[in-house]
Amino acid sequence: MDERKVASEILAAVGGPSNVSHLEHCSTRLRFSLVNDDKVDAEKIKKIPGVLGVNQTAQTQVIIGNDVIEVYNELQELLKGQTATAEQGPKQKRKVSAVILDFVISIFQPLIPAIAGGGILKSLLMLLNLIGVLDKTTSTYQILTFIGDAPLYFLPLLVAVTTANKLKVNNLVAVSAIGALLIPGLTTLMAEGTNLFGLPIQTINYAYQVFPAILCTISYAYLEKFFTKISPKVIRNFFVPMMSLVIVVPLTLLVLGPIGYLFGQGFANVIMEIFARFGWIAVAVLAAFLPFMVVTGMHKAMIPYVITALGETGKELIYCAASLAHNIAESGACFAVTIRSKDKGMKATAVSAGISALFGITEPALYGVTILHKPVLYSVMLGSLIGGATVGMLGVEAYVAVGPGLASLSMFISEELPRNLMNAVIGLVVSFAISFIAAFVLWKEPVGETEQANEFEGTNGVVFNAPVEGTVMPLTEVKDDVFSSKMLGDGVAIIPSKGELYAPINGTIEMIYSTKHAVGMKTEDGVEVLFHIGLDTVNLDGKYFESFVTKGQHVKRGDLLVKFDLEKITAAGFDPTTMVIVTSPKNAKLRVRTENEVNKELPLFAIERLGLEN
């Protein structure tokens, strides 16, 4: 993948740098907060090689997969100094719910790697103690435990950074404001009972807290902007942070901190009350609906609860257990599709997505298989429902905020609950088995893929996939006598719907016209084929064409050969009909597909070997 090229195309399709107000990424997605969502060309994004899908909810999410970090880094380079400011407009009116969700995701999503890394370290230490490799009374164990606990203990500082970045204010001053709340001396004073300006300060341990830090940083952002506006430039460098700190820290100690603390406790208590009332049913229902929540990004709204629960109690009872059931159900269904499908492309996608989901990353499975095929979706929901009910009834608890999967099972290790890990494994097996069996039974090959593949099964000839996506038409109907009379050889014409030419079979590039509108190749069986993009497009002198291969290059089926701007070629008055001509052997007998619509994954025609021998 050319990450720079992918990043550039994505940036253009989301409206350019001036439309981007904030960018971040998770394990598989780029997450854009945009000034105007209407500027996004979702269809164009979907067609970019390397993009798995796009979803627009509170944020514009571009699903990349395992290369997301590389593409994100390239985007950061392209966006340097060019992103929209908070005041830049015109701004699109957005629903309050969308604004809140965007804010929540932007704050909590970047925290996951640190929290997950520290949490997994702690769970692995517990595993080493459990099997007798490292005793928990040793100083080594204790120091490593402190390292693992650091991201949660200093969570308020991390939240200050992400909130300040989202609000585009000085994140170091924001950290300083929150850091004041964690100073050991102040913590001791609050524990003993103290006051500020004669007003009592509530005793709160701000370590592990999230919402006080958010409220404090939001208030600081307003103060920074206010004092920046009114202060003389000559003193702004020290005056703005000094005045902001001297106001926001006392305000947090007296008002914002207690409000945030009570809100966090209340938020977690509401979730726990739901669990107390409905028990395993709540876990089962949440697991069954997670496919829809993940696709829309709504699952990120659960992050504050998970982090708050872990910070307050050290464990979480609902979301992680439901996620385990869903992630493994995605994997089971994908592996069933791998076995049942007869389409090579689908098999490759499903097995890759199944492995990814098995390790806790479900986007490839969701976007590549599940949401595209109802039988798979129903199977995943069934496996998630029953698996979720299983882990719910067994009372599985999680101790780390990370995507549950095979590699992160140590997140369920507990000294107090020795069977907790085993119960999680039982839920894993149930989820996988149910979704696998359901998908294996329900799977039906999509019409237009298997039927077309079967059309050429058993042939003794050379099968060519369609080199371009579009509608097939007989060569005799092409509005050019050279092609319609089959002067150059027999073949097929396609009216393209997408400006990309792919290799329909393995072979070697024999010729590329200087104008890039025509390419010749020879297959491994010795068949020579000419691809001619458009009628009279030689007159464009290479304009609107981009070649990705060179003469003598060996290519494989599905490799990109040429990109062409379909809209501009048509606007220039040229017919974009693309011809696929078998120039040698001259007496080749073609067996053309019966369906009209084609893409690079489907066979277009076969050449009987009898024709090659004559």
Side-chain angles (χ1 to χ4, degrees):
M1 177 191 289
D2 186 342
E3 290 88 1
R4 185 77 174 184
K5 182 176 174 55
V6 172
S8 180
E9 292 183 7
I10 290 173
L11 185 57
V14 298
S18 62
N19 195 40
V20 179
S21 62
H22 188 72
L23 171 65
E24 61 198 30
H25 73 86
C26 58
S27 55
T28 58
R29 311 183 191 194
L30 299 168
R31 295 176 175 274
F32 291 90
S33 296
L34 303 175
V35 176
N36 190 339
D37 291 331
D38 292 338
K39 291 185 178 181
V40 177
D41 188 339
E43 291 304 316
K44 187 175 181 180
I45 295 175
K46 292 176 184 177
K47 294 178 181 178
I48 297 173
V51 171
L52 299 176
V54 61
N55 181 51
Q56 287 182 277
T57 50
Q59 297 178 323
T60 294
Q61 304 167 30
V62 181
I63 299 88
I64 301 295
N66 294 331
D67 296 311
V68 66
I69 294 177
E70 288 75 15
V71 177
Y72 171 81
N73 290 337
E74 294 294 344
L75 276 165
Q76 289 288 71
E77 289 294 318
L78 294 172
L79 285 169
K80 276 185 177 177
Q82 299 187 67
T83 55
T85 63
E87 294 80 17
Q88 205 166 334
K91 286 192 175 182
Q92 177 191 28
K93 287 186 178 180
R94 304 173 69 191
K95 293 180 179 179
V96 175
S97 59
V99 173
I100 293 174
L101 183 59
D102 171 45
F103 188 72
V104 168
I105 293 173
S106 297
I107 292 173
F108 288 99
Q109 179 61 49
L111 303 175
I112 296 300
I115 295 172
I120 289 294
L121 173 59
K122 289 176 65 178
S123 62
L124 287 176
L125 288 171
M126 293 174 65
L127 177 62
L128 293 176
N129 176 67
L130 193 66
I131 61 178
V133 174
L134 184 61
D135 191 273
K136 66 179 181 179
T137 60
T138 64
S139 58
T140 299
Y141 183 96
Q142 293 172 4
I143 291 173
L144 291 175
T145 298
F146 289 144
I147 294 172
D149 195 45
L152 275 179
Y153 183 89
F154 291 108
L155 194 56
L157 299 178
L158 305 184
V159 168
V161 172
T162 57
T163 307
N165 288 342
K166 176 62 177 176
L167 298 175
K168 298 187 183 298
V169 293
N170 192 312
N171 54 25
L172 295 182
V173 179
V175 167
S176 299
I178 303 302
L181 306 177
L182 300 175
I183 292 176
L186 179 57
T187 302
T188 302
L189 272 177
M190 287 191 292
E192 294 173 350
T194 188
N195 64 78
L196 179 65
F197 308 127
L199 299 172
I201 296 177
Q202 186 175 334
T203 303
I204 297 174
N205 181 8
Y206 286 104
Y208 301 98
Q209 296 297 317
V210 170
F211 294 103
I214 294 174
L215 293 179
C216 178
T217 307
I218 291 173
S219 300
Y220 159 67
Y222 281 103
L223 289 169
E224 182 193 89
K225 291 171 184 177
F226 171 73
F227 286 116
T228 299
K229 191 175 182 180
I230 68 169
S231 64
K233 291 183 179 179
V234 69
I235 64 170
R236 187 179 292 168
N237 190 46
F238 68 86
F239 181 78
V240 172
M242 179 189 72
M243 292 303 298
S244 299
L245 287 171
V246 82
I247 292 175
V248 78
V249 175
L251 181 63
T252 302
L253 287 170
L254 294 171
V255 181
L256 301 179
I259 290 175
Y261 177 73
L262 289 174
F263 179 81
Q265 282 193 320
F267 183 68
N269 288 338
V270 167
I271 303 292
M272 294 307 297
E273 181 63 24
I274 292 174
F275 180 75
R277 291 192 175 213
F278 300 100
W280 60 269
I281 297 176
V283 181
V285 172
L286 177 60
F289 280 92
L290 270 176
F292 305 104
M293 293 178 68
V294 175
V295 166
T296 59
M298 290 297 295
H299 65 304
K300 295 301 179 185
M302 296 293 291
I303 294 176
Y305 151 69
V306 174
I307 292 176
T308 302
L310 289 172
E312 289 285 332
T313 65
K315 61 184 178 182
E316 194 278 313
L317 305 174
I318 304 175
Y319 180 71
C320 290
S323 292
L324 175 68
H326 167 242
N327 294 352
I328 302 304
E330 291 281 358
S331 178
C334 283
F335 281 117
V337 172
T338 302
I339 296 174
R340 291 277 283 139
S341 178
K342 296 180 181 179
D343 180 77
K344 291 182 179 179
M346 176 55 71
K347 281 179 176 289
T349 299
V351 70
S352 174
I355 294 171
S356 180
L358 193 61
F359 285 88
I361 306 297
T362 58
E363 279 87 351
L366 276 163
Y367 287 93
V369 183
T370 304
I371 64 174
L372 300 178
H373 307 283
K374 288 183 180 179
V376 182
L377 176 60
Y378 299 151
S379 302
V380 168
M381 291 182 70
L382 181 62
S384 300
L385 181 71
I386 298 177
T390 302
V391 292
M393 286 188 287
L394 292 173
V396 173
E397 299 178 355
Y399 306 98
V400 181
V402 66
L406 203 59
S408 56
L409 278 176
S410 58
M411 67 187 287
F412 298 106
I413 295 176
S414 170
E415 292 181 342
E416 290 76 21
L417 300 173
R419 285 194 55 82
N420 193 65
L421 175 61
M422 180 57 66
N423 290 339
V425 172
I426 291 172
L428 181 152
V429 172
V430 170
S431 299
F432 187 95
I434 296 298
S435 63
F436 179 91
I437 294 170
F440 192 87
V441 172
L442 297 176
W443 173 259
K444 292 182 180 179
E445 209 77 52
V447 177
E449 295 182 14
T450 303
E451 291 180 2
Q452 293 306 316
N454 289 342
E455 188 173 345
F456 295 97
E457 276 188 4
T459 181
N460 292 320
V462 184
V463 178
F464 289 72
N465 279 12
V468 295
E469 182 177 311
T471 305
V472 177
M473 65 181 288
L475 197 62
T476 54
E477 294 182 11
V478 174
K479 298 174 183 178
D480 186 305
D481 291 341
V482 174
F483 296 111
S484 62
S485 65
K486 302 185 180 182
M487 187 181 302
L488 299 176
D490 200 0
V492 181
I494 302 173
I495 303 171
S497 57
K498 186 176 182 180
E500 295 174 352
L501 178 75
Y502 294 91
I505 195 170
N506 297 349
T508 304
I509 301 300
E510 294 284 292
M511 171 275 296
I512 304 175
Y513 274 66
S514 59
T515 52
K516 304 174 187 175
H517 75 292
V519 178
M521 73 174 287
K522 179 184 285 188
T523 72
E524 295 174 347
D525 295 274
V527 177
E528 296 180 8
V529 186
L530 171 69
F531 310 107
H532 196 285
I533 304 170
L535 301 178
D536 299 321
T537 45
V538 64
N539 296 320
L540 288 171
D541 198 27
K543 193 176 181 181
Y544 309 137
F545 292 88
E546 181 182 4
S547 175
F548 290 84
V549 290
T550 57
K551 183 178 178 180
Q553 180 178 336
H554 181 75
V555 294
K556 294 182 179 181
R557 189 191 304 265
D559 286 352
L560 181 63
L561 306 182
V562 177
K563 289 187 77 170
F564 52 99
D565 196 317
L566 193 57
E567 292 182 2
K568 290 182 179 179
I569 291 172
T570 305
F574 292 89
D575 184 339
T577 299
T578 299
M579 281 62 66
V580 187
I581 309 297
V582 179
T583 56
S584 178
K586 289 290 184 181
N587 60 345
K589 296 180 181 179
L590 270 61
R591 183 173 156 201
V592 183
R593 64 181 277 128
T594 57
E595 293 292 325
N596 291 331
E597 299 303 317
V598 294
N599 60 55
K600 69 186 184 76
E601 305 294 338
L602 300 180
L604 177 62
F605 63 81
I607 302 176
E608 298 296 337
R609 291 191 182 277
L610 181 61
L612 300 178
E613 296 167 358
N614 289 342

